[in-house]
Amino acid sequence: MFGWPVSTVAAMRKRLTLGPILIAVLLAGLWLDQVIEGMPWPFDLPMLGFDGSAPAAVIVLPVMLLIGGLGGRELAIMLKAKGVHASRLTLAFAAVTGLLASTPLFANLSSKSDLPGDGSAGLASVAAAMVLVGIVHHARTRNSQGAMLSIGAVLFAFVYLGLTFGFLLRIRFEHSVWVLVWVLATVKSCDIFAYFTGKAIGKRKLILWLSPGKTWEGLVGGLIGSAVVGGLGLALLTQFSSFNPGGTAGMAAIAGAVVGAAMGLVGQLGDLMASMMKRDAGLKDSSSLLPGFGGVLDLVDSPILVAPLAYWTLAVWA
């Protein structure tokens, strides 16, 4: 096939086998999340914003908590490879805590409790607590060497896999699930188009010292793919959903293409950032959990960095 090495063909077969399954499961879960929202809910917790009906992200929240926890474990493996005292359980806990702290549920709890302060004070308090977690975690070694790295690892998991990744949760809480589908499809389309374009016609290496497999041709193909999917997706949202950034479907398609290319570019930066961490740790993949893809971090490294950009773009449009 195009003269590709046997290893490349084998990896591609694994991706083509597992990829459609992951996409189908993702879409089914997101559809179910949208269906459940607003249905009668047995819990009535005004402090968290529950008013007797199911809130948004009933499916998305636990799935993202699982992804964050698994990502924290993979991050600990990479850090251990560099000699950092990192616990899989501690970093998974930090990531999950960051995700929960990024949700409107936490903001509701902070603002409606009897304690002084607001949501930002509550978030700062959680961040300070993560520093203490890092200190206690390293203190168990009874050795001061590497203390700053251990504490920094906990904070990195809290921010990177928690707060940053959590912007996707905020998008789901504030918009329909199909807006989140648009964001994810736009970002991952860049990864997909870049991979296949690079394998087919890629010749000029993008950053040889960091990611030898990436090419300029692949990057261009990826950005074109994300622009097309971003434009088409936003046009469909404008035409068939309650989300409308203003203007006609044609104008939305143009705006979506521009934003889609920007999200694709930032997503590639997120992928390169993850590559930098893995190469620093001497690892090819974050784990072998997903055959053909690597680990959880290999799958979500681009959406993580795109999440804040997508959130604020949608906030401006709304």
Side-chain angles (χ1 to χ4, degrees):
M1 184 184 293
F2 297 102
W4 291 336
V6 175
S7 58
T8 299
V9 175
M12 189 172 295
R13 283 175 178 169
K14 290 179 180 178
R15 289 191 175 214
L16 291 175
T17 301
L18 183 59
I21 297 174
L22 292 175
I23 292 173
V25 171
L26 175 65
L27 290 176
L30 291 172
W31 173 80
L32 184 61
D33 189 275
Q34 185 69 53
V35 170
I36 294 176
E37 182 183 2
M39 293 179 66
W41 189 253
F43 309 105
D44 188 11
L45 300 172
M47 185 172 289
L48 291 178
F50 294 169
D51 57 358
S53 59
V58 171
I59 303 296
V60 172
L61 176 57
V63 169
M64 286 191 62
L65 291 177
L66 176 62
I67 293 173
L70 292 173
R73 290 173 57 85
E74 293 179 356
L75 184 60
I77 294 173
M78 288 193 285
L79 289 166
K80 283 184 175 181
K82 287 296 294 179
V84 178
H85 178 63
S87 162
R88 299 182 187 184
L89 180 61
T90 302
L91 265 61
F93 172 74
V96 167
T97 301
L99 280 169
L100 290 174
S102 70
T103 66
L105 301 179
F106 177 80
N108 290 337
L109 181 62
S110 299
S111 62
K112 295 181 181 181
S113 66
D114 295 329
L115 298 174
D118 55 14
S120 61
L123 182 57
S125 300
V126 176
M130 287 299 102
V131 175
L132 293 177
V133 169
I135 293 172
V136 172
H137 166 68
H138 189 81
R140 296 172 59 192
T141 65
R142 299 186 179 183
N143 190 334
S144 62
Q145 295 298 314
M148 289 188 291
L149 291 176
S150 295
I151 298 169
V154 175
L155 284 175
F156 181 63
F158 174 73
V159 174
Y160 178 63
L161 291 171
L163 300 184
T164 308
F165 193 33
F167 273 100
L168 292 179
L169 273 176
R170 297 194 66 89
I171 290 174
R172 174 61 190 104
F173 274 103
E174 297 179 18
H175 301 279
S176 87
V177 76
W178 305 117
V179 175
L180 181 58
V181 170
W182 171 70
V183 172
L184 294 176
T186 300
V187 177
K188 296 308 292 184
S189 65
C190 186
D191 292 345
I192 295 170
F193 276 82
Y195 178 80
F196 285 103
T197 303
K199 293 297 182 184
I201 61 174
K203 296 184 181 300
R204 300 172 182 83
K205 298 299 182 181
L206 182 62
I207 306 179
L208 185 60
W209 61 270
L210 178 58
S211 187
K214 291 187 180 299
T215 63
W216 283 102
E217 292 85 355
L219 175 62
V220 172
L223 294 181
I224 292 174
S226 59
V228 171
V229 173
L232 179 61
L234 191 60
L236 291 174
L237 283 175
T238 301
Q239 192 74 20
F240 299 107
S241 77
S242 59
F243 180 77
N244 191 333
T248 63
M251 294 176 62
I254 295 174
V258 173
V259 172
M263 289 197 294
L265 181 59
V266 173
Q268 291 304 293
L269 291 175
D271 185 82
L272 289 171
M273 173 184 168
S275 295
M276 185 178 293
M277 293 190 295
K278 287 181 292 186
R279 287 183 71 84
D280 185 31
L283 301 174
K284 182 180 183 297
D285 297 316
S286 58
S287 78
S288 57
L289 181 64
L290 302 170
F293 291 92
V296 167
L297 288 179
D298 294 299
L299 201 61
V300 300
D301 51 13
S302 50
I304 287 177
L305 215 59
V306 169
L309 171 64
Y311 174 81
W312 289 111
T313 299
L314 292 168
V316 170
W317 279 344

